[in-house]
Amino acid sequence: MHPWIGRSDDVRLGALTAWVTPELVDDVLAECGRGGVKPGALSPRFMVYFTLALALFAQDSYDDVAENLVGALEGMDETIPNRASFTRARQRLGPEVLEAVFRRVRGPVAPAKVGRAFWHGMRLAAVDGFVLDLPDNKANREFFGGWSDARGAPAGFPQVRVVTLTETGTHASIDARIGGFNGGERELAVQMASSAAGMLVIMDRNFPGVELWKAYTHAGAHLLLRARSTVASRPLEVLADGSYLGRMSLAGQRASHPGGVTVRVVEYRIDGGELIRLLTDLLDVEAYPAAELAALYHDRWEAESAYRQVKTFQRGPAQVLRSATPALVHQEVWAHLVVHHCLNGIIMQVAYGEETDPHRISFVKVLKHVRRSVIRQTKDAVSAVGAFLAILEAKVRRKLDTGPRRSRSAPRVLKRPDSKYSPSVKKQQHGPTQQVPAKVITLSPAMLQ
């Protein structure tokens, strides 16, 4: 009989156990039909924590992650099961359990007193997406897809697409969807509309469309979307602040088609640059001034900051996910989303206790502290959370606080080009990040044509 039988259920996930409690895990396992399993060395509850630990220690091997989990339990670190056993246990667990855990812990975490998380009483959120590289095998490429060259031959890694609804004030995940590389971000975004009720949702110019607009507004959400120059470009009525009412039509239809929607259009330039067009359903020019809406669109970049936390710091830069089958890829991505959300929940809790902006607290340092909590506090994780948070709050004053954000600029370059001989790569201007003056936003009043 393996020494882990009857003991693996005692394993916890350090400070993250306060968010992913054993009770929550057991409820999810029962809900997904994984409960009541005969006790074994790799019990279902242990495998939930192990899969989350794979995301927390993304660059470690299976046995290293297992040692991190059981190191505080006497004797367990001496009898680590082999890699094949962990893989089979992950396959038995399936992706549905980790998705259900995400559905239980997700949601906004900023209280009403966090001003940057709200605007005119509406919680601010952003929708955007990113992709993650996968092991290059037939199963992953057929299921998820990936880049191809001019001849249609596979190029680079297969990729999974993730689209999230992110709370801009904290980087917490309100909702998320997973799809293939060949699928569109807009289709995944539409599926999250019901989670955005009562919020002001910001999106970039890849998303505007009548279907998405109706899905979010019918769900009780408000929208602030950047649009291409051809969308709602004809003013129907110019408003007092220079913004105007226009029509966004169904693809291939006239603006007068009844299937379209009426939108308010705000146009402006930053430092005299290109004309930026925003669409919103907030039509009251006195309650929602155009200048404030133009300045607010910048908060969309908080979603990119959240993705950097996942892709660069939590997963590791340019790291390929470890899962070799589509089901395990889904499981691994959901685990990353759970861990990332919980880490930002910790940051918000610490920031609220210290009355500071959560964006000023270093995600990297909190990530390292949480990893250490898994190794050091496995035995008594839940009761140690209070002391853990107290330690973080004390360190905010010395180490974790990164200070107020500065206006900075850096050349936007392709970090992983397909070929070093590509002409577009040669033309890129590399350079250091530099501090720059605050951007000047200038509204461009519309005129009836």
Side-chain angles (χ1 to χ4, degrees):
M1 185 174 71
H2 196 279
W4 280 26
I5 294 178
R7 301 184 64 192
S8 59
D9 276 346
D10 296 333
V11 171
R12 299 293 182 264
L13 198 62
L16 297 188
T17 311
W19 281 262
V20 187
T21 65
E23 293 76 19
L24 181 149
V25 173
D26 290 344
D27 286 347
V28 167
L29 288 170
E31 175 187 308
C32 297
R34 303 295 195 277
V37 177
K38 182 179 179 181
L42 302 177
S43 67
R45 185 200 287 179
F46 170 82
M47 287 307 303
V48 171
Y49 285 136
F50 178 77
T51 305
L52 294 173
L54 290 177
L56 186 62
F57 300 93
Q59 299 182 54
D60 290 352
S61 64
Y62 273 24
D63 55 345
D64 287 338
V65 173
E67 288 179 8
N68 291 338
L69 278 173
V70 305
L73 298 177
E74 185 177 351
M76 290 188 69
D77 60 341
E78 300 172 0
T79 53
I80 304 293
N82 60 40
R83 178 186 175 88
S85 297
F86 284 116
T87 301
R88 288 193 295 269
R90 285 187 63 197
Q91 291 169 340
R92 290 193 298 270
L93 188 68
E96 299 84 2
V97 174
L98 271 298
E99 180 179 0
V101 171
F102 174 79
R103 303 279 168 220
R104 293 289 190 98
V105 302
R106 70 185 174 111
V109 298
K113 292 183 179 180
V114 179
R116 287 193 59 175
F118 294 85
W119 184 75
H120 287 261
M122 295 176 285
R123 190 181 297 272
L124 295 177
V127 170
D128 209 343
F130 62 97
V131 293
L132 297 169
D133 292 339
L134 308 176
D136 193 357
N137 58 43
K138 182 178 180 181
N140 281 342
R141 188 166 291 278
E142 287 183 351
F143 190 92
F144 294 105
W147 290 101
S148 57
D149 61 21
R151 296 171 297 178
F157 291 100
Q159 292 182 322
V160 58
R161 186 179 303 281
V162 184
V163 176
T164 68
L165 176 65
T166 303
E167 184 179 36
T168 61
T170 64
H171 299 159
S173 297
I174 300 170
D175 202 353
R177 292 294 187 275
I178 299 174
F181 173 83
N182 297 326
E185 291 182 337
R186 185 188 301 172
E187 291 74 13
L188 297 176
V190 168
Q191 300 173 23
M192 300 187 291
S194 60
S195 299
M199 302 177 187
L200 177 56
V201 184
I202 310 171
M203 305 184 201
D204 68 20
R205 55 186 166 192
N206 290 324
F207 288 94
V210 172
E211 180 189 7
L212 179 141
W213 190 276
K214 290 182 176 180
Y216 277 80
T217 54
H218 290 172
H222 298 286
L223 292 169
L224 183 63
L225 279 61
R226 186 175 179 182
R228 291 182 169 87
S229 60
T230 56
V231 179
S233 58
R234 181 180 178 183
L236 303 178
E237 177 185 347
V238 178
L239 304 177
D241 61 355
S243 61
Y244 65 88
L245 299 182
R247 291 283 293 178
M248 181 166 58
S249 309
L250 292 165
Q253 300 293 340
R254 289 177 172 270
S256 58
H257 192 279
V261 292
T262 299
V263 300
R264 178 185 172 196
V265 182
V266 176
E267 294 182 330
Y268 65 98
R269 300 178 189 273
I270 298 178
D271 291 345
E274 66 171 316
L275 184 69
I276 297 175
R277 173 181 285 120
L278 301 181
L279 311 180
T280 182
D281 64 317
L282 301 172
L283 306 184
D284 190 331
V285 297
E286 294 185 2
Y288 310 108
E292 292 187 23
L293 289 168
L296 191 65
Y297 178 72
H298 182 268
D299 281 17
R300 184 195 74 79
W301 290 97
E302 297 300 338
E304 299 287 354
S305 296
Y307 299 157
R308 182 172 183 243
Q309 292 173 347
V310 176
K311 297 171 64 176
T312 302
F313 304 137
Q314 182 176 303
R315 177 203 60 172
Q319 190 86 1
V320 179
L321 297 187
R322 67 177 87 225
S323 300
T325 66
L328 294 188
V329 167
H330 280 89
Q331 183 190 80
E332 186 174 358
V333 174
W334 287 121
H336 271 288
L337 292 173
V338 170
V339 169
H340 178 255
H341 178 80
C342 293
L343 289 171
N344 280 291
I346 291 173
I347 289 173
M348 181 67 251
Q349 191 166 345
V350 173
Y352 190 68
E354 287 294 304
E355 298 183 350
T356 189
D357 183 352
H359 291 162
R360 291 177 54 164
I361 296 180
S362 169
F363 178 87
V364 174
K365 288 186 170 63
V366 171
L367 172 63
K368 291 178 179 179
H369 279 287
V370 170
R371 286 171 174 168
R372 285 194 286 268
S373 79
V374 173
I375 298 170
R376 296 174 181 174
Q377 302 175 17
T378 305
K379 279 187 176 179
D380 197 15
V382 176
S383 63
V385 167
F388 172 80
L389 293 175
I391 291 171
L392 288 188
E393 288 177 5
K395 289 191 175 183
V396 164
R397 309 180 198 108
R398 297 185 291 111
K399 293 174 61 179
L400 301 186
D401 190 343
T402 58
R405 285 187 176 177
R406 297 166 291 168
S407 295
R408 295 179 295 175
S409 177
R412 193 168 187 178
V413 298
L414 184 64
K415 297 296 181 67
R416 301 180 71 186
D418 293 331
S419 170
K420 65 181 180 179
Y421 301 106
S422 170
S424 61
V425 173
K426 294 177 183 178
K427 294 178 183 178
Q428 294 186 104
Q429 298 297 318
H430 294 262
T433 299
Q434 297 179 339
Q435 192 165 349
V436 296
K439 302 293 184 181
V440 177
I441 296 175
T442 307
L443 295 178
S444 296
M447 297 179 63
L448 285 175
Q449 299 175 358

